[in-house]
Amino acid sequence: MAELVAVIASTHHPFYHRASTSSGEDRPPFADEWVRKVEAFRETLTLARPDVLVMVGSDHFHQLWLDNMPQFLVGKAPAYDGNWYNEEREFGLPRMHLAGHEELSAHVLRQGLDSGFDLAFSNELRIDHSITCPIITLRPQADLPIVPIYTNIFAPPLPQPKRFVQLGRTIREIVEGWPSDQRVAVIGTGHLSLELGGPRQFGPHGPDPQFDQKAVGWIAGGDIEECLAEVSLESLHLPGNATHGFMDFMLMMGVAGEGQRADYVDTFDLFHTMEAYFTWYPKGAPS
Amino acid sequence: MSKYLVDKFLFTVDRDPELVERYRDDPAGTVAWWEAEEANRILNCVAAERSTWLAFDDAERAALAGHDYPALFAMGAHPFLTLTLFIAMFERDHEGLDFQLEYARRLSHMQLPYPDIAT
């Protein structure tokens, strides 16, 4: 069977690419430390020597739209183009191209459907920064095939938080049941507290540092039940109006497992939102 | 009221560089053209398979024609769509993050719970 060699959860900050590649007066004062933290985080994936990446993210109204909105969608294409005009315009993100892994996509869909998740699928998916940002931070050579999984954290009505956790658990079972000798990493990105287009946006820190501290503790400790007891679709409005992206972190906690402490934890307090990086090694840390 | 149609306007303009400039330069004219020609286009269908029933109400039309993003927020337009498009149009007229911070200030009267964005 396939081996789940790493579970990685991260924020997906679209400004990292521009900050890390700028120079001179354009380079923000926090860029060097940010690069150092990201490169240390990247090493946690490199050490796991993955062959294929399952990438969990959320389309930001790029290809998925309100006339036909899936809750959970799996890409099953042989290739994926990445990033959109408005992401080039606002964030300076480059156009990207990634190989797909059709066999694992088909396995995820079949097994997911048979496990009680009526997953949507796409044969032609242009991925956005929720998936390309972790490629830039964690695997900038973009040389591994991916299976993208999109969740709806954006367009209500949304699935309940527990459903994200359940999907994470199911993804783990599906990956570990894949009849293959491939080494799989599951990487998912979301948000801590975040406000977009509201009065609390672009402050000196994330809109709710107390929530962020609590959330980092839940993720780092694998405290799924405690997190589920405190988080609801309603409560996630309080830390910031885009904080429902935290449910993708909850999905990744489901992949990692109840009570599983992360092997690697780092955070970086930036303006607008806090960065957070987590890695679990289900089979123990690679030597 | 059609939050969906307001969002559809923001979405279809934001993804088209020419429409971003047209909406910046001529908001009322762009909104009138879009409502007449584009509002009922189903995005993945041919033109003959149009919807027949979508229209802005007066407040929505005025908010869009007035570049009035606080009004759009108050009526429950999706804040990510509004923010992204307005950054595209107006960040260039400001230094650094000044536009984003002015945007936040102009919404500072809004209290939780924010207007419902469900469509």
Side-chain angles (χ1 to χ4, degrees), chain B residues 10 21 33 61:
Chain B
L10 299 168
E21 296 308 309
W33 163 81
R61 196 177 294 115

Side-chain angles (χ1 to χ4, degrees), chain A residues 47-64:
Chain A
L47 283 172
R49 296 182 293 108
D51 300 311
V52 55
L53 306 176
V54 174
M55 305 292 298
V56 178
S58 298
D59 180 79
H60 296 66
F61 285 141
H62 285 119
Q63 186 164 341
L64 306 184

Side-chain angles (χ1 to χ4, degrees), chain A residues 60-63 65-67 84-86 89-90 154-156 195-202 237-238 241 271, chain B residues 4 7-8 11 14-15 17 20 43 73 78-81 83-84 87-88 97 100-101 103-104 107 112 114:
Chain A
H60 296 66
F61 285 141
H62 285 119
Q63 186 164 341
W65 176 238
L66 298 170
D67 62 355
W84 296 73
Y85 145 68
N86 65 3
R89 182 187 71 203
E90 186 171 349
F154 212 58
E195 177 109 333
L196 293 171
R200 295 174 288 175
Q201 69 180 7
F202 288 94
H237 288 288
L238 303 177
N241 69 346
F271 73 98
Chain B
Y4 168 69
D7 286 349
K8 185 177 179 182
F11 172 71
D14 177 66
R15 57 185 19 219
V20 170
L43 297 181
F73 186 92
H78 200 292
F80 177 86
L81 291 169
L83 175 67
T84 303
I87 284 175
L97 293 172
Q100 287 86 336
L101 295 172
Y103 194 114
L107 291 169
L112 291 171
Y114 295 161

